[in-house]
Amino acid sequence: MTTRVGPVSLPNPVMTASGTAGHGAELGAYLDLSQLGAVVVKSLSVEPWAGNPAPRLLPAAAGMLNSVGLQNPGIDAWLADDIPALASAGARVVVSVWGRSVGDYAEVGRRLTTALVRSRGPVVALEANISCPNVEDRERMFAHSTEATSAALSALAGAVAPLGLPIWAKLSPNVTDLVAIAGAALAGGAGGLTLVNTLMGLAIDPASGLPRLGGGGGGLSGPALHPIAVRAVYDCRQAFPSASIVGVGGVSGGYDAAELLSAGADAVQVGTASFVDPRAPLRVLAELTEWCAAEGFGSVAEVVGTSHRREATRTPNGQNEVARAGAAGKRAP
Ligand code: RRO
């Protein structure tokens, strides 16, 4: 079940998704963090950030809306308080960072570099969160423009260059041309892409006319997001055959994970499913392992990108039929 995400080797392709597993080893109360591919921590900023007023979560028809509002203890407190517990748990750690300005991405990078330059400890990669939907105004959503995406990534990449860690740019599905934004992230210094963050949504109490989340709008995640994530991964893999890609969005079971790998992801992240069951990431891994064996795949690498190697034939009604050499037909559960 090993996989490679660019230069990073992982024992398996299932990670937690940023923002759904705490800042440190919180999920360790429910599962052995060392058994995951990696733990991606909730995004950290230069200064501590209080986040949005409650309520912050709301069930949606096929998932969840959140408006957490980037709450975090600040990078310095995280380095002091959370990294030791993650290291003792044997986790491989992906540090997600966010900023309100290009200068913030540089500063958070500088602080990480100062702290980790002698020993990277459990940290295997950085994730640049440039796509939180719950920022105060849309101008601050870096991932909505190629220029801002490239500027944020360049600032972070410059600051963390001495660490030699890859940066994955976490992008937003709320854009017209995701491939263009992905290209700007890679050109700016990202070694990989994490696809995708939540979709911008809103829930209203029609009686009062007020938003139901304390922060106003929110980000939609869960099964409703899954086909959007599959499309994003597919399109970006098509455009950037050698980029590292991590797929995230509505992974609730092993089949969903396999679908993202087939679309071209090198690894996947599990997020909203952990709100239903904190052990979900390991269940997804067990199901994916079983799925690979049942479908005759000898390694994760064999699954990655199968949809781009398919032999597609046209049926009389114009729909694509997928024939994959050497494997039995797949059916969604
Ligand atoms: O904290 C949040 O409200 C949040 C973040 Br940082 C993000 O990247 N995505 C999301 O749906 N919520």
Side-chain angles (χ1 to χ4, degrees):
M1 294 304 287
T2 57
T3 192
R4 288 192 71 85
V5 186
V8 183
S9 289
L10 300 174
N12 66 71
V14 180
M15 313 176 205
T16 59
S18 178
T20 64
H23 289 291
E26 292 94 324
L27 223 54
Y30 304 96
L31 45 77
D32 178 355
L33 297 176
S34 72
Q35 289 181 14
L36 293 169
V39 172
V40 188
V41 301
K42 179 154 177 67
S43 306
L44 297 151
S45 52
V46 176
E47 301 297 340
W49 196 255
N52 285 343
R56 288 172 160 191
L57 299 181
L58 195 68
M64 179 175 93
L65 275 175
N66 87 81
S67 179
V68 175
L70 300 128
Q71 181 184 343
N72 79 99
I75 191 72
D76 295 335
W78 180 80
L79 284 161
D81 301 338
D82 287 308
I83 234 184
L86 284 161
S88 330
R92 285 152 294 278
V93 175
V94 177
V95 187
S96 172
V97 297
W98 71 276
R100 304 175 80 206
S101 65
V102 170
D104 279 356
Y105 283 93
E107 180 57 23
V108 79
R110 277 193 287 271
R111 294 195 193 192
L112 274 170
T113 300
T114 304
L116 302 177
V117 74
R118 258 177 270 127
S119 162
R120 302 188 295 197
V123 178
V124 295
L126 307 180
E127 194 170 81
N129 185 359
I130 55 170
S131 51
C132 174
N134 300 321
V135 287
E136 288 153 40
D137 60 67
R138 273 198 218 178
E139 297 304 303
R140 294 229 178 90
M141 171 77 97
F142 290 86
H144 281 178
S145 104
T146 50
E147 292 79 10
T149 291
S150 159
L153 264 299
S154 307
L156 181 62
V160 300
L163 293 179
L165 290 167
I167 303 173
W168 306 337
K170 186 161 182 181
L171 302 185
S172 167
N174 305 282
V175 293
T176 312
D177 189 351
L178 180 63
V179 168
I181 306 281
L186 294 169
L193 307 166
T194 303
L195 306 168
V196 288
N197 210 318
T198 52
L199 268 173
M200 293 169 85
L202 175 66
I204 298 170
D205 169 15
S208 66
L210 293 172
R212 294 179 64 195
L213 285 167
L220 178 68
S221 61
L225 187 60
H226 183 65
I228 294 163
V230 173
R231 178 69 180 265
V233 169
Y234 183 89
D235 287 352
C236 287
R237 174 55 73 212
Q238 187 96 314
F240 308 108
S242 56
S244 311
I245 297 183
V246 178
V248 54
V251 175
S252 309
Y255 184 90
D256 305 322
E259 199 179 359
L260 282 169
L261 296 175
S262 174
D266 301 297
V268 302
Q269 297 176 349
V270 177
T272 303
S274 302
F275 285 71
V276 181
D277 171 11
R279 295 178 186 86
L282 281 187
R283 179 180 50 74
V284 168
L285 173 59
E287 290 176 10
L288 177 63
T289 307
E290 230 172 79
W291 182 91
C292 288
E295 295 293 340
F297 288 100
S299 69
V300 170
E302 280 176 34
V303 185
V304 172
T306 48
S307 64
H308 299 272
R309 299 193 291 274
R310 70 192 181 179
E311 297 158 26
T313 55
R314 291 240 154 223
T315 60
N317 69 8
Q319 287 177 337
N320 274 333
E321 262 190 3
V322 177
R324 184 162 48 73
K330 293 175 288 184
R331 292 285 176 274

